[in-house]
């Protein structure tokens, strides 16, 4: 991003009077930036396969900008493309390198994709608006005519001024002078349909698509975060399972080699090595829910037997006292 900022600063300087004074130096520096972009593109190609690279629309945008940048240094018949009058404007496309910021900032990518998704719906809405302007201009041509509605295109342009609500008061003043206040009916209809309905509809569509894009991006980020957590959990479980299996294997070998060691001795050695927040695989016997349920039931039965034995002792002592 820092290289791109420097390149844009160079383009800004080249667009000033200094660009005519130090044109050769600036062209050399611009060529260096172009080489850097080319190397970056090659690194992306080698790091990922072509199919994955081409599937990203912002990579295609970078490739298009890079291709237009290379056109200015191609030689045809000994002359630079930049010297040909028909292709001289290719140099102006260097300013399009600013669009590479979109591929570097994720939030800009979300907004750009949302705008692209609205194009299909916007085309239909704008087509309907053109139809309304066409009908209004044709009617105004037959009703008013004159300076503002003397032709169909001029009438559509005047109606578009009403839709944008920009400078329509001057036009309406001239219409009042020429045709009276009855011309305001046409103005009110066009402003109501174009300005209050179509403009708000376009704004509402943009807000809806931006909201949907933001929700989609949040779901993607949440899924990536959950996948990372699950991957980390799986790694920890696998590592702890391997450590526990290794530990049990060592202890079993110790018990086999030294039979005098009991299981309590093994647990005493294990004490202090396992934390309370360690995750142990549930496939092990000591953490099996079935085994724990049987163990707790056995403890309850043992407690019940102890209580019965205690009551029996009390009755025995009472009988001895009475005798």
């Amino acid at each position: 991003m820092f290289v791109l900022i420097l390149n844009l600063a160079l383009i800004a300087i080249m667009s000033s009077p200094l660009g005519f004074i130090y044109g050769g130096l600036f062209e050399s520096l611009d060529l260096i930036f172009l080489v850097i972009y080319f190397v970056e593109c090659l690194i992306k190609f080698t790091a990922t396969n072509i199919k994955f690279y081409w599937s990203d629309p912002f990579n295609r945008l970078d490739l298009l900008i890079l291709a237009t940048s290379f056109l200015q240094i191609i030689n045809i018949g000994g002359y630079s493309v930049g010297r040909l009058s028909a292709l001289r404007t290719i140099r102006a496309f260097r300013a399009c390198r600013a669009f590479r910021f979109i591929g570097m900032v994720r939030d800009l990518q979300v907004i750009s994709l949302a705008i692209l998704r609205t194009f299909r719906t916007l085309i239909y809405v704008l087509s309907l608006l053109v139809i309304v302007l066409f009908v209004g201009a044709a009617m105004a041509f037959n009703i008013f005519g004159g300076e503002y509605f003397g032709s169909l295109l001029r009438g559509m342009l005047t109606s578009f001024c009403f839709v944008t609500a920009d400078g329509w008061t001057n036009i309406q003043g001239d219409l009042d002078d020429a045709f009276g206040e009855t011309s305001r009916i046409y103005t009110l209809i066009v402003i109501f349909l174009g300005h209050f309905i179509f403009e708000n509809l376009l704004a509402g569509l943009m807000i809806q698509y931006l909201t949907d894009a933001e929700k989609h991006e949040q779901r993607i980020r949440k899924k990536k975060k959950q996948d990372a957590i699950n991957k980390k959990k799986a790694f920890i479980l696998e590592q702890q399972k391997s450590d526990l299996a290794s530990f049990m294997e060592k202890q079993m070998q110790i018990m086999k080699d030294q039979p005098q060691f009991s299981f309590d001795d093994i647990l005493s050695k294990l004490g202090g090595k396992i934390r309370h927040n360690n995750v142990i695989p549930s496939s092990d016997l000591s953490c099996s829910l079935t085994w724990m349920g049987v163990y707790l039931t056995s403890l309850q039965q043992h407690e019940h037997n102890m209580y019965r034995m205690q009551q029996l002792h009390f009755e025995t002592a009472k009988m001895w006292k009475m005798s």
Side-chain angles (χ1 to χ4, degrees):
M1 181 178 291
F2 180 71
V3 175
L4 181 58
I5 293 175
L6 290 179
N7 189 198
L8 294 180
L10 177 64
I11 294 174
I13 297 175
M14 293 173 66
S15 302
S16 66
L18 292 177
F20 297 99
I21 302 175
Y22 304 101
L25 175 62
F26 291 154
E27 289 292 340
S28 300
L29 293 176
D30 186 70
L31 183 60
I32 294 175
F33 284 113
L34 188 59
V35 172
I36 294 175
Y37 296 149
F38 180 72
V39 172
E40 179 187 3
C41 182
L42 289 180
I43 292 175
K44 287 184 178 181
F45 265 120
T46 55
T48 59
N49 55 46
I50 299 178
K51 184 177 180 181
F52 180 79
Y53 179 86
W54 192 256
S55 63
D56 191 348
F58 299 101
N59 287 336
R60 297 198 295 268
L61 178 62
D62 289 345
L63 195 60
L64 178 62
I65 295 173
L66 185 63
T68 56
S69 299
F70 268 110
L71 286 177
Q72 63 186 347
I73 61 173
I74 297 176
N75 292 327
I76 300 179
Y79 293 95
S80 173
V81 170
R83 295 181 182 179
L84 297 178
S85 59
L87 299 177
R88 189 176 181 82
T89 54
I90 291 178
R91 292 180 178 271
F93 283 96
R94 286 185 292 194
C96 295
R97 296 176 191 175
F99 288 118
R100 301 187 78 247
F101 270 116
I102 300 176
M104 300 178 182
V105 182
R106 181 57 187 172
D107 292 335
L108 294 180
Q109 295 179 11
V110 173
I111 296 174
S112 301
L113 291 176
I115 294 175
L116 291 176
R117 293 190 185 102
T118 60
F119 276 171
R120 183 176 180 181
T121 306
L122 290 178
I123 288 174
Y124 294 131
V125 176
L126 293 176
S127 299
L128 185 58
L129 178 60
V130 171
I131 293 173
V132 171
L133 293 177
F134 177 83
V135 173
M139 294 177 63
F141 174 78
N142 294 286
I143 297 174
F144 303 113
E147 178 184 359
Y148 295 107
F149 300 98
S151 64
L152 185 63
L153 293 178
R154 185 179 294 273
M156 291 181 67
L157 180 60
T158 303
S159 300
F160 186 74
C161 292
F162 289 150
V163 171
T164 58
D166 184 20
W168 68 276
T169 54
N170 298 329
I171 299 175
Q172 184 58 44
D174 296 337
L175 292 177
D176 288 342
D177 297 336
F179 304 100
E181 295 183 355
T182 55
S183 61
R184 297 182 180 181
I185 298 176
Y186 171 82
T187 303
L188 289 176
I189 293 174
V190 175
I191 290 177
F192 177 76
L193 292 177
H195 185 68
F196 289 100
I197 294 181
F198 282 98
E199 283 196 5
N200 291 323
L201 181 60
L202 292 175
L205 287 174
M206 291 297 300
I207 292 174
Q208 179 183 355
Y209 277 96
L210 287 174
T211 303
D212 294 341
E214 182 64 25
K215 291 181 180 179
H216 180 68
E217 180 65 18
Q218 290 178 358
R219 288 194 296 268
I220 293 176
R221 291 179 180 177
K222 185 176 180 180
K223 185 178 181 301
K224 288 182 179 180
K225 184 178 181 180
Q226 189 63 37
D227 292 342
I229 293 175
N230 293 337
K231 187 177 180 180
K232 185 177 181 179
K233 285 183 177 180
F235 175 77
I236 294 176
L237 286 174
E238 188 65 26
Q239 185 179 15
Q240 291 186 347
K241 184 177 180 179
S242 176
D243 294 342
L244 184 60
S246 176
F247 171 78
M248 294 300 297
E249 183 180 357
K250 290 181 180 179
Q251 297 305 322
M252 293 299 295
Q253 186 66 32
I254 292 175
M255 291 180 64
K256 188 181 294 184
D257 297 340
Q258 301 178 2
Q260 69 274 15
F261 275 87
S262 64
F263 190 72
D264 293 335
D265 297 330
I266 297 176
L267 292 179
S268 63
K269 288 186 176 182
L270 188 62
K273 297 181 180 179
I274 298 181
R275 295 175 296 179
H276 68 281
N277 58 350
N278 275 4
V279 182
I280 305 298
S282 60
S283 59
D284 296 301
L285 180 63
S286 60
C287 294
S288 174
L289 294 179
T290 304
W291 183 87
M292 293 179 66
V294 174
Y295 179 70
L296 292 176
T297 303
S298 302
L299 289 179
Q300 292 177 357
Q301 186 66 30
H302 179 69
E303 184 180 2
H304 179 69
N305 293 336
M306 291 293 295
Y307 177 76
R308 294 288 299 273
M309 291 294 296
Q310 186 180 18
Q311 294 299 323
L312 182 61
H313 289 165
F314 288 160
E315 291 179 3
T316 303
K318 187 177 181 180
M319 290 178 62
W320 278 100
K321 183 178 180 181
M322 292 177 61
S323 62

